[in-house]
Amino acid sequence: MFKKYKNQDLDMAFWWKKNTKTSSDYVKLISDQLSKISNSSTVDTKRKAQEECSKYLMGLKHFILSDTDPKPSAEAIDELYMAMHQSDLFYDLILHFNDLEFEARKEVMLIFSICLGYSKDNKFVTVDYFVSQPKTINLMLSTIEMALQRKSSPQDIFLVIGNMIIECIKYEQLCRIVLKDPQLWKFFEFSRLSNFEIGTISLQILSNAFTVHPKLVSREFFSAEANTEKFIASINKLIAYGSYVTKRQSTKLLASLIIIRSNNQLMNLYINSPDNLKLIMTLMTDKSKNLQMEAFNVFKVMVANPRKTKPVFDILAKNRDKLLKYFETFGIDNQDTNFLDERDFIIQQIDSLPRIISSTTDGNKGVNNTIASSSPPSNSVLGVQQQQSQH
Amino acid sequence: MNNSNIYNILPPSSLFDIKECVGRGNFGDVYKAIDNITKKYVAIKVINLEYSDEDIDLLAQEIFFLAELKSDYIINYITTIMEDVSMWIVMDYCGGGSCSDLIKIVYPNGIVEEKVSFIVKNVLLGLQYLHEQKKIHRDIKAANILLTDDGQVKLGDFGVSGQIKATLKRDTFVGTPYWMAPEVINKEINNGYDEKVDIWSLGITTYELLKGVPPLSKYDPVKVMTSLVKRKPPKLHGPYNDFTKSFISFCLIKDPKLRPNVQNLLKTDFIFKFNGKIKNLQKDVDLCKKIKNKENGNFIKKPKFPINEKFYNTNDRKEPKEIWDFNTIHSMKSIKNNSSLISPTSDLHSLKQLSPISNSSQLQNASSTDQQFTKVQTITPLTVNSKSFKKVRVLTARAQYELGSGMDIDTDSQRKEQKNNCDRIEDVTDYNGSNKRENVDYFKNVICYSLKRMNERANDEDTKNFVNAILYNFKLTEAQVPGFSEVFMEEILLRMETIQNYFSNKV
């Protein structure tokens, strides 16, 4: 029976259906093909091994989905999971991911997510296995980076492994492994890559890693100040230099993180820095209404903070009139009552800031120059009004 | 797909020659275009993210879903690129339109069985590919079955498609009422649904192709939907082959467990009896195009968002890029309240925050690649001791949009407005010497120094003379326009930084 698989003319569907008695064979067959792929000396033998591998993966998928006739017994399924774990099948597959065929990689992804979701006696057996053998998750995080080196279609591998990482993140224990892996920081860089698929899924991975299990993140990630500092520096870079989409998504992520009560380490560090305030205020003047709104969701926390640091306070006070002017038209067509309440509160807070002016001589020059340089009317009005209100 | 890297290097506008708008939806507009690399026609779905309420994450999910599909029976996804604030989703172009167009324009009373069998077989092959990967299309109907110019059938529009993952069941309510399977409408049945919903919809679609309309189409869609769970499945009546009728009733078995799968259906007589008789629908596609052209010109539609109107216009300097005052509080006075807060010591504090030397704590940890960021964030206001130059205030995060920025020279003696390039520099305050914190003499330490080195490097006397001439001119200008060198250097550095950023974004 066992030798037969080397026969290329064999009808696989027929073969699998005949061989339901030892499910662990699937695992062995795939492992064998994987080592063949790496040891093959010619293109032909390698391609054959790749094709074989694809077939066996499909067979394994049918088995694990009970799409076979007859359906596999519960014992056979258990045996299969055990064999996969014992042989570190997923580790092996990820290691050879580059050499798998396009469709085969997707089979791996599907099998992977089915395995993660499989529970026996209220235990997620594959999740538990990865917790004891985190090397597979770590390998996924580094393999995805290697995909970028591919000359053609790097996004093919990147997307598949990226989706697998997102699957992992759904499980708290696996999310912990992801958060602890220094490789995670690289995803901030990947988020800025111009390849749309790669950039977008990288930011989704980050977003999932930091938001799906908020308690885990605040307890074990932001509890370390070094992490928080690095996180702020990294996300600021996305907000400052990202593409339109990256800016929107990263600001949204930041806003959603700093309002979580348990993330107060992150919030305190973020809202107390004048540089962050400047970045967010700059974003508020972006032409995009969506970006303005995302920025406001960060800005409001900074303004609402009852214990502002001196530099933050100074910037707000100095721009008091400009901010009031800004909020006269900000979100004017937004009907959301929550938003309107928040905006009113923020306006109140700004209104109660002390008034500060620049020295009169400077101010006069400012007005002259503004008019001289044929600026848009709205802004010269702003400038003039400001001067008037100060005198 | 091998060329997909190229799509990210060049600006989209140079990659594709946009022809006419061929479709309009709430999501955005669809254009016919020529791919300048492959010289093939492509369809580009342009979604303006600023003006539409589309959720970016959901759109990305749709794109990831498409990117994973490679089949002859499914419309091929090429790439997605961002242009301005719009997402361009590039797909193969199906010049033949949809089967729904074919019905409307050529066969209002339905298509003949033989051709329907051909279409359905191709849809089944597409579904076979999808279902094998546990993916569901969820919106099978004639309007989503597309035809290429040479009459091949491709499954399209994956807007609501989904991946059945670990749970192997979905419970989202999506699809189009007349084509929806009972288990989608009534979640209690089976608690959730799987790929069998596509089989039901295929049954309805087969009926639609044969009759020209889906069953019960004269009734209100919501009523059809709600009554679907209770009533018997629709049946095909009329002068059709028995195997055609039974194919439809086979698809329309209400219990999804008893409903056949793709493999079963591919073996039915309806597919088998006509198999191979038709190779393509080229003639029908040509006929359809002919009538279309006669009826209303070129079928050109008016796009919802004009594609040439850019949201971030690089030449548009009228928009104030920066309205805030982030200067040091040094020259500021407090009028009334809290004057105690702004004491000389706090001035020093805020000064420190702004100087480039004292990076704030979280930035100090940044790696070397963060340098450009820290630079922008903590840039010192210009220390020009001159009334001749405006201070550049716009060292903002948006430097990458400012690839076209220039310098505004505004001397006391003569007004040399270099166009309106610098309108963005709003409410400018000239600097008085008291603000000067650094004693770098840009003329002496930078310009003279560099030109001297150039002089030394010069190979011949002529070159040396040119260098000296430049130096002389600089000297003259600096004497006339104090601070000229500093602004000059700042502009060079700004420009270099922008270019650097531009390239680091492109890598």
Side-chain angles (χ1 to χ4, degrees), chain B residues 297-484:
Chain B
N298 267 325
F299 231 64
I300 294 173
K301 293 177 182 162
K302 195 178 177 294
K304 205 170 166 190
F305 302 109
I307 198 159
N308 291 323
E309 266 178 33
K310 294 269 175 292
F311 184 76
Y312 291 112
N313 190 340
T314 35
N315 299 319
D316 179 16
R317 288 277 167 262
K318 296 221 166 89
E319 199 69 24
K321 292 264 178 174
E322 177 95 24
I323 63 169
W324 312 121
D325 195 349
F326 293 148
N327 290 328
T328 150
I329 222 149
H330 194 74
S331 62
M332 301 295 164
K333 286 175 196 160
S334 124
I335 343 171
K336 33 185 180 180
N337 327 324
N338 302 28
S339 53
S340 61
L341 270 173
I342 300 149
S343 62
T345 38
S346 62
D347 280 5
L348 273 177
H349 181 57
S350 53
L351 236 159
K352 226 174 149 192
Q353 289 289 334
L354 281 166
S355 114
I357 311 136
S358 64
N359 294 340
S360 61
S361 57
Q362 74 268 26
L363 295 169
Q364 267 169 349
N365 278 5
S367 66
S368 61
T369 48
D370 292 353
Q371 267 183 358
Q372 39 172 250
F373 172 71
T374 35
K375 236 183 211 163
V376 168
Q377 284 308 298
T378 54
I379 198 98
T380 324
L382 187 63
T383 57
V384 175
N385 190 3
S386 154
K387 292 195 165 77
S388 308
F389 285 93
K390 289 171 178 177
K391 187 179 71 66
V392 178
R393 314 261 323 264
V394 202
L395 300 177
T396 70
R398 266 164 291 112
Q400 67 217 59
Y401 295 128
E402 298 169 5
L403 279 166
S405 59
M407 181 175 71
D408 190 4
I409 301 175
D410 187 6
T411 56
D412 286 331
S413 48
Q414 58 185 129
R415 184 145 298 202
K416 282 189 272 172
E417 285 270 5
Q418 286 188 346
K419 288 202 108 193
N420 283 338
N421 277 350
C422 276
D423 282 357
R424 65 202 163 86
I425 302 171
E426 295 302 341
D427 68 292
V428 180
T429 33
D430 282 352
Y431 269 83
N432 44 34
S434 67
N435 262 3
K436 191 147 182 164
R437 289 187 296 276
E438 287 172 349
N439 289 317
V440 178
D441 184 338
Y442 284 86
F443 174 67
K444 221 166 112 186
N445 298 348
V446 182
I447 303 288
C448 285
Y449 178 80
S450 307
L451 286 170
K452 265 181 195 149
R453 275 181 58 92
M454 278 173 76
N455 183 298
E456 279 159 24
R457 282 171 62 181
N459 285 326
D460 51 59
E461 247 355 87
D462 266 356
T463 314
K464 278 185 199 292
N465 287 338
F466 279 118
V467 172
N468 288 340
I470 294 268
L471 180 60
Y472 179 69
N473 269 321
F474 253 106
K475 205 172 170 183
L476 267 184
T477 314
E478 185 67 32
Q480 291 287 316
V481 189
F484 182 95

Side-chain angles (χ1 to χ4, degrees), chain A residues 239 242-245 247-248 282-292, chain B residues 48-51 82-86 307-317 319-321 397-404:
Chain A
I239 294 171
S243 69
Y244 170 80
V245 169
K247 279 182 188 207
R248 262 181 77 173
T282 304
L283 201 62
M284 280 163 64
T285 64
D286 193 283
K287 212 175 155 186
S288 158
K289 293 265 185 292
N290 292 301
L291 276 174
Q292 288 176 16
Chain B
N48 185 310
L49 298 174
E50 181 62 21
Y51 294 128
M82 282 300 299
E83 164 83 355
D84 191 42
V85 296
S86 291
I307 198 159
N308 291 323
E309 266 178 33
K310 294 269 175 292
F311 184 76
Y312 291 112
N313 190 340
T314 35
N315 299 319
D316 179 16
R317 288 277 167 262
E319 199 69 24
K321 292 264 178 174
R398 266 164 291 112
Q400 67 217 59
Y401 295 128
E402 298 169 5
L403 279 166

